[in-house]
């Protein structure tokens, strides 16, 4: 090269490191997606079932066998809406999470030639995490609305 210029090959990762990382990513993907999704979906469905059972229970708790009117129904509607939103966000997070792992595997394959590709951020992985955070927040808010609805109606009995 003229004028003292030198070319350097990009830093590469070794193939056994690549294989270990790919296997680790795959295992992590499966464990994380299954645990978090099962938790949010199970708890959301359980709370919706609990609220339906609570409705029938409060009907039977009326004095003298007469049916009672429920108050604060808007809290129950918000509860169901937020729990449904939590389920939808979990499902969206699963799709984005699967896409992010495909991207990450592609980046690992590219790192066989140039390790600097691993320095960039996987935006799909960030999106999947954000969807998970919002799903958790929607679940907690839905739980809060259910507690409010139950508390108000139990104290009205």
């Amino acid at each position: 090269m003229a004028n003292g210029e030198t070319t350097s090959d990009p830093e590469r990762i070794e193939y056994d490191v690549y294989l270990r990382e790919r296997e680790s990513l795959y295992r992590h993907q499966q464990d994380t997606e299954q645990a978090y999704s099962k938790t949010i979906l199970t708890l959301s469905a359980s709370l919706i079932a609990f609220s339906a059972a609570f409705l029938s229970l409060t009907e039977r708790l009326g004095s003298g066998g007469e049916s009672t009117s429920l108050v604060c129904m808007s809290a129950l509607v918000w509860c169901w809406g937020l729990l449904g939103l939590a389920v939808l966000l979990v499902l969206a997070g699963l799709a984005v999470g699967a896409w992010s792992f495909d991207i990450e595997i592609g980046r690992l394959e590219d790192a066989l030639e140039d390790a600097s590709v691993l320095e960039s951020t996987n935006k799909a992985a960030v999106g999947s995490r954000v969807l998970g955070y919002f799903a958790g927040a929607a679940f907690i808010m839905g739980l809060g609305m259910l507690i409010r609805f139950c508390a108000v109606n139990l104290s009205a009995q």
Side-chain angles (χ1 to χ4, degrees):
M1 294 244 122
N3 299 333
E5 292 178 22
T6 60
T7 61
S8 63
D9 290 333
E11 183 182 347
R12 300 174 69 165
I13 63 171
E14 296 177 14
Y15 190 71
D16 61 330
V17 172
Y18 159 77
L19 288 177
R20 281 195 315 268
E21 286 296 317
R22 185 172 177 154
E23 180 182 348
S24 174
L25 279 171
Y26 181 75
R27 248 186 282 120
H28 179 71
Q29 172 192 14
Q30 297 301 314
D31 294 345
T32 302
E33 287 178 4
Q34 287 177 1
Y36 189 77
S37 300
K38 283 181 183 178
T39 301
I40 295 291
L41 293 173
T42 302
L43 291 174
S44 294
S46 298
L47 289 177
I48 290 172
F50 171 79
S51 63
F54 182 82
L55 287 174
S56 67
L57 175 68
T58 54
E59 292 267 330
R60 285 186 256 140
L61 288 178
S63 59
E66 60 194 48
S67 107
T68 61
S69 62
L70 298 172
V71 293
C72 201
M73 288 298 290
S74 62
L76 183 63
V77 171
W78 274 102
C79 166
W80 286 346
L82 288 165
L83 293 174
L85 178 63
V87 170
L88 291 176
L89 289 170
V90 164
L91 295 176
L94 287 173
V96 173
W99 180 41
S100 76
F101 281 103
D102 288 343
I103 290 171
E104 201 61 34
I105 288 171
R107 288 170 21 131
L108 273 173
E109 289 171 355
D110 292 344
L112 288 170
E113 298 300 320
D114 181 7
S116 67
V117 298
L118 298 176
E119 295 172 8
S120 64
T121 302
N122 183 342
K123 291 182 173 87
V126 172
S128 178
R129 264 183 257 122
V130 168
L131 286 169
Y133 297 149
F134 281 120
F139 171 78
I140 289 170
M141 289 187 291
L143 176 61
M145 287 293 163
L146 180 59
I147 290 170
R148 175 174 164 67
F149 173 76
C150 293
V152 167
N153 281 289
L154 283 176
S155 67
Q157 296 296 321

